[in-house]
Amino acid sequence: MAEQSIIVKSMDNAANVLGNFDENAKLLEKELGVTIVSRDNELKITGDDVAVEQAGKILKNLVDLAEAGEVISEQTVRYCVLMVRENIAGDIVKIASDCVCVTAKGRPVKAKTIGQRKYLEAIKKNVITIGVGPAGTGKTYLAVAMAVAAFSKREVNKIVLTRPAVEAGEKLGFLPGDLQNKVDPYLRPLYDALFDMLGAETHQKYLERGTIEVAPLAYMRGRTLDDSFIILDEAQNTTPEQMKMFLTRLGFNSKAIITGDVTQIDLPDGKKSGLKEAVKILKNIEDIAICQLTDKDVVRHQLVQKIIKAYQTYEEAPQRKNGRRKA
């Protein structure tokens, strides 16, 4: 039986680490098979040698995050457990970052994983950033947050959000209404992110003024976008021709973010993904960053992470690599 004690600088930080009703401590106890006892600002861990060592590393990282001003959630605890088990826990404190912006409900938008932190840093430093990763990694949401932050600071005069109007594996047929009504369903995720950042009234005001534009990718042809923050979402569903067209819209004092998930391509069979091709072609060009987010960066329900990993394992199975599928 091993034992380890961790001293926290303040009672508030200790309470933050332990969570409401000690839910974070209980999660750690369940995951690692240890016992955690809190007395004032001391956290005492008991259990077998390996488990206590891992729990100690996790709690030290959580304490560092708490002292850096981060709110410790269940997702943060699970992420720390994953990082410690994979022996890359030393970098966890790097997810403590400045607030990108504050949502209409007063919630600060920050990186929640190391991958997300690197993604935000790449956006700040480069003119074009390509964020590739599975669902739930915050690619679009963080991109919109960065766009809103730049717009609020008057670094740009306009936000342009676009995505290809490609159906996700089902034919929707003719949609009612005018042209805008027909394309709005494809653009809904972008509207949702903007609505969350700005609130209903401000969101509508900027849309009406044209300082924020949400449009299908086809509307981008022939334009030059100066002083703009441009986001291309669901870029895995662009063709190489569409991707080239989008990349060449970039004007002076503009920044572009391209996001997509190459495991969820909805293009017709035989069509190449413009995102896949762009990652290969642009990887060594200055002022263009390519960020690869993984299942470790998923910040949705923990089951999403497990689902992504299960599909990845299935797709990488030898019989599928060789083109042979089990019935």
Side-chain angles (χ1 to χ4, degrees):
M1 183 72 71
E3 187 177 286
Q4 187 178 144
S5 291
I6 295 170
I7 304 299
V8 189
K9 288 181 181 177
S10 73
M11 294 290 289
D12 287 343
N13 286 337
N16 185 9
V17 169
L18 294 170
N20 292 330
F21 304 106
D22 292 342
E23 59 187 10
N24 293 341
K26 290 173 185 174
L27 175 58
L28 273 179
E29 289 177 334
K30 181 181 176 183
E31 287 286 327
L32 301 172
V34 295
T35 301
I36 300 171
V37 176
S38 167
R39 183 174 295 169
D40 297 327
N41 63 335
E42 180 186 11
L43 305 177
K44 186 173 285 187
I45 314 159
T46 54
D48 67 53
D49 292 0
V50 175
V52 167
E53 184 184 354
Q54 287 186 335
K57 288 178 181 178
I58 293 164
L59 281 174
K60 283 174 184 173
N61 277 289
L62 293 175
V63 168
D64 287 343
L65 288 172
E67 289 175 354
E70 297 294 307
V71 176
I72 309 301
S73 64
E74 179 188 336
Q75 190 273 331
T76 311
V77 177
R78 290 190 184 278
Y79 183 68
C80 285
V81 171
L82 179 66
M83 294 295 99
V84 165
R85 283 175 171 167
E86 298 198 0
N87 293 318
I88 48 178
D91 290 332
I92 291 175
V93 75
K94 290 181 181 178
I95 70 174
S97 58
D98 296 331
C99 174
V100 177
C101 71
V102 178
T103 68
K105 293 182 178 179
R107 183 174 60 82
V109 179
K110 295 183 176 185
K112 294 183 178 179
T113 69
I114 297 166
Q116 287 189 351
R117 176 66 187 263
K118 289 178 180 176
Y119 178 50
L120 291 176
E121 287 174 350
I123 293 170
K124 289 176 186 176
K125 293 175 183 176
N126 296 277
V127 177
I128 297 174
T129 303
I130 302 175
V132 183
T137 51
K139 303 181 300 295
T140 303
Y141 193 78
L142 290 174
V144 172
M146 290 293 284
V148 169
F151 182 71
S152 300
K153 295 173 188 173
R154 300 189 178 179
E155 294 172 1
V156 295
N157 296 327
K158 189 170 187 176
I159 297 174
V160 179
L161 309 179
T162 186
R163 60 174 2 200
V166 177
E167 295 156 348
E170 54 186 324
K171 299 298 180 184
L172 302 179
F174 293 102
L175 294 168
D178 59 18
L179 186 59
Q180 194 62 46
N181 295 138
K182 293 177 190 296
V183 299
D184 273 357
Y186 297 100
L187 305 170
R188 181 51 50 191
L190 296 174
Y191 282 119
D192 289 346
L194 273 176
F195 191 91
D196 193 33
M197 301 289 171
L198 299 170
E201 206 170 301
T202 306
H203 168 261
Q204 191 59 37
K205 178 180 71 175
Y206 287 143
L207 284 175
E208 289 171 359
R209 287 181 183 175
T211 48
I212 292 181
E213 179 182 347
V214 185
L217 183 57
Y219 285 26
M220 297 297 109
R221 187 172 294 281
R223 301 177 65 184
T224 300
L225 299 168
D226 294 321
D227 299 305
S228 300
F229 203 114
I230 315 148
I231 299 172
L232 170 59
D233 191 34
E234 298 291 349
Q236 76 275 6
N237 289 329
T238 61
T239 63
E241 295 79 14
Q242 286 176 319
M243 179 61 77
K244 183 180 176 183
M245 180 272 289
F246 172 80
L247 288 166
T248 53
R249 300 309 94 204
L250 195 69
F252 292 104
N253 192 40
S254 289
K255 193 180 282 279
I257 304 176
I258 298 163
T259 69
D261 177 3
V262 293
T263 68
Q264 296 194 36
I265 297 172
D266 301 312
L267 291 168
D269 289 342
K271 284 275 189 182
K272 284 185 179 179
S273 168
L275 177 61
K276 276 187 169 182
E277 191 174 88
V279 168
K280 294 175 185 175
I281 293 171
L282 305 175
K283 62 183 177 182
N284 295 319
I285 296 181
E286 190 178 353
D287 276 335
I288 298 179
I290 297 171
C291 294
Q292 295 281 352
L293 297 161
T294 69
D295 59 279
K296 297 181 185 67
D297 299 303
V298 171
V299 292
R300 289 181 186 165
H301 193 285
Q302 59 168 316
L303 269 180
V304 175
Q305 196 173 66
K306 293 178 180 178
I307 289 166
I308 289 166
K309 210 159 190 174
Y311 269 92
Q312 187 178 341
T313 302
Y314 175 70
E315 292 294 337
E316 290 174 354
Q319 66 268 24
R320 292 183 63 80
K321 279 188 174 180
N322 297 329
R324 300 191 301 273
R325 301 188 183 189
K326 288 185 177 180

